Amino acid sequence: MKLPFRLAQRFVASENLNGTLPVLVDLKERGLHSTLDLLGEYVKDRNVAAAARDEYLQLIERISTEHGRTNVDRNISIKLSMMGQKIDEAFCLENLKQVLALAHEKEVFVRLDMEGTDITDSTLGMFETMYPQYPDNVGVVLQAYLKRTRKDVERMCELKARVRLCKGAYKEPAHLAHQKMSDIRDAYLEYMKMLIADARYPGIATHDDILIDETKKWVGENDVSRDKFEFQMLYGMRPTTQQSLSDDGYNMRVYVPYGKDWVPYFTRRLRERKENIWFLLRTLVKS
Ligand code: FDA
């Protein structure tokens, strides 16, 4: 059964790119940065993965043209599991090479989203393979809830790589991931400091006031210039806070997802916050 898109429209900009570009323009006009994400993940069919690669290539062309017209950010987020990572890693890497070659030509930055622990090593491996050739075009995501992450943060600091730090959105077992929010927050704050001090322009991706306030406090106390990092939030989450952070002089990037394959992304948003379920129920009652 296909769920109606209106259920997801608070968190997903549109089911197509044409409907999404005005959202990016509006963000830009309000001083906010964006990263554009074509939804889709864990593809099992080679042809579907090749089609996803082609769609990413078209997306890079399109965002580059749009940048020339409206100055929207040339910044996208992609999931390797959409380009065949679970089918054949060599095939996925070939797809990534094509995407990054075009991104380099068009000066587009490509963030590799981080997914479940079944592909963490593979994602970091592909990132490290491509990073020496495209240090200004590719970045990665680290998840503070994973117990392995300190060593990944250390490695990214050595590489001076661009990292988005988030808590982590997938259900992972206790031997791999912290389960208590206080432990996740402690880890997050430790990695935030390491990345801002020693990596390159990290994205502090969270809607959590405790983490946002601690970041602001730490950079203030340590005299860190505000252009050394950015905050990041998801489209539809805390828009007033997004705007006020930007108005206060912090770089703020909004992750804008679009596309027809929105159910897994939407389900993660419902799972991580009960208020989002109330919103969904209100939408259903109103219809
Ligand atoms: P969390 O949901 O843990 O809430 C903590 C507290 O923050 C709440 O108790 C409340 O006080 C406050 N809060 C949260 N949302 C609020 C709201 N809407 N209004 C008011 N208060 C609110 N994950 C992943 O595994 N791989 C990835 O690649 C990414 N990418 C990514 C990009 C960006 C830009 C973001 C912001 C997040 C991701 N994530 C992700 C998701 C991330 O791992 C995590 O699941 C969510 O951000 C939820 O964690 P938070 O820290 O945002 O708040």
Side-chain angles (χ1 to χ4, degrees):
M1 187 186 68
K2 190 173 178 329
L3 294 170
F5 176 67
R6 74 192 151 72
L7 293 180
Q9 67 192 6
R10 168 154 173 193
F11 309 111
V12 178
S14 170
E15 284 194 295
N16 58 62
L17 185 54
N18 282 341
T20 308
L21 290 173
V23 172
L24 305 187
V25 175
D26 174 60
L27 288 168
K28 193 81 212 172
E29 285 173 356
R30 291 190 289 114
L32 296 144
H33 301 286
S34 60
T35 182
L36 184 56
D37 170 60
L38 168 64
L39 291 165
E41 54 194 82
Y42 283 94
V43 164
K44 294 189 187 76
D45 179 313
R46 235 182 152 85
N47 293 327
V48 177
R53 174 205 59 214
D54 292 345
E55 219 173 326
Y56 281 140
L57 293 171
Q58 286 163 20
L59 176 57
I60 290 169
E61 293 278 3
R62 190 75 196 277
I63 197 90
S64 157
T65 310
E66 190 63 27
H67 171 80
R69 284 190 335 113
T70 59
N71 198 31
V72 295
D73 284 10
R74 286 172 290 184
N75 191 309
I76 67 170
S77 292
I78 73 174
K79 287 191 171 55
L80 291 177
S81 77
M82 195 174 172
M83 284 202 301
Q85 189 177 22
K86 293 290 278 182
I87 306 167
D88 172 356
E89 287 190 15
F91 164 67
C92 180
L93 185 61
E94 274 314 307
N95 290 335
L96 179 61
K97 282 182 182 166
Q98 288 186 41
V99 167
L100 290 179
L102 185 64
H104 178 68
E105 186 192 320
K106 302 287 179 187
E107 296 178 54
V108 172
F109 181 79
V110 178
R111 175 82 60 187
L112 308 183
D113 282 349
M114 191 55 81
E115 305 176 68
T117 44
D118 54 330
I119 45 180
T120 308
D121 274 327
S122 161
T123 302
L124 290 173
M126 287 194 214
F127 170 75
E128 286 225 19
T129 304
M130 301 313 299
Y131 179 72
Q133 200 176 348
Y134 301 114
D136 297 327
N137 296 99
V138 66
V140 75
V141 177
L142 294 178
Q143 297 156 321
Y145 68 178
L146 292 187
K147 292 181 177 172
R148 60 173 286 162
T149 294
R150 182 178 294 103
K151 88 168 171 23
D152 296 327
V153 169
E154 284 166 0
R155 176 67 183 146
M156 293 306 149
C157 289
E158 265 169 41
L159 291 172
K160 298 278 174 233
R162 281 182 63 177
V163 173
R164 172 197 299 150
L165 180 65
C166 66
K167 283 181 184 161
Y170 298 79
K171 194 153 179 47
E172 301 291 355
H175 70 282
L176 296 177
H178 298 295
Q179 309 288 320
K180 272 174 47 195
M181 184 58 90
S182 55
D183 292 340
I184 299 170
R185 282 187 174 127
D186 287 349
Y188 193 105
L189 290 174
E190 183 189 346
Y191 306 151
M192 171 275 288
K193 292 170 193 169
M194 290 165 72
L195 290 168
I196 294 179
D198 290 326
R200 183 160 45 120
Y201 194 64
I204 305 304
T206 182
H207 313 98
D208 189 335
D209 280 330
I210 293 178
L211 302 183
I212 295 166
D213 291 347
E214 280 296 317
T215 303
K216 285 159 74 174
K217 184 162 159 253
W218 186 79
V219 299
E221 285 169 357
N222 289 280
D223 237 355
V224 176
S225 155
R226 290 184 182 182
D227 60 8
K228 294 285 180 221
F229 69 101
E230 65 184 20
F231 286 113
Q232 297 188 354
M233 291 193 191
L234 302 175
Y235 173 77
M237 308 269 280
R238 311 204 69 182
T240 313
T241 309
Q242 293 175 8
Q243 188 66 57
S244 59
L245 281 167
S246 169
D247 293 347
D248 284 351
Y250 293 98
N251 288 324
M252 174 77 228
R253 188 175 306 281
V254 182
Y255 181 103
V256 181
Y258 78 96
K260 293 196 189 314
D261 194 4
W262 46 263
V263 173
Y265 176 87
F266 173 64
T267 310
R268 283 196 290 279
R269 300 294 79 81
L270 294 185
R271 211 177 40 222
E272 69 201 5
R273 197 165 154 76
K274 66 177 181 316
E275 286 84 347
N276 292 341
I277 299 179
W278 289 120
F279 168 80
L280 173 69
L281 292 175
R282 279 202 304 275
T283 310
L284 286 172
V285 170
K286 272 191 215 149
S287 61

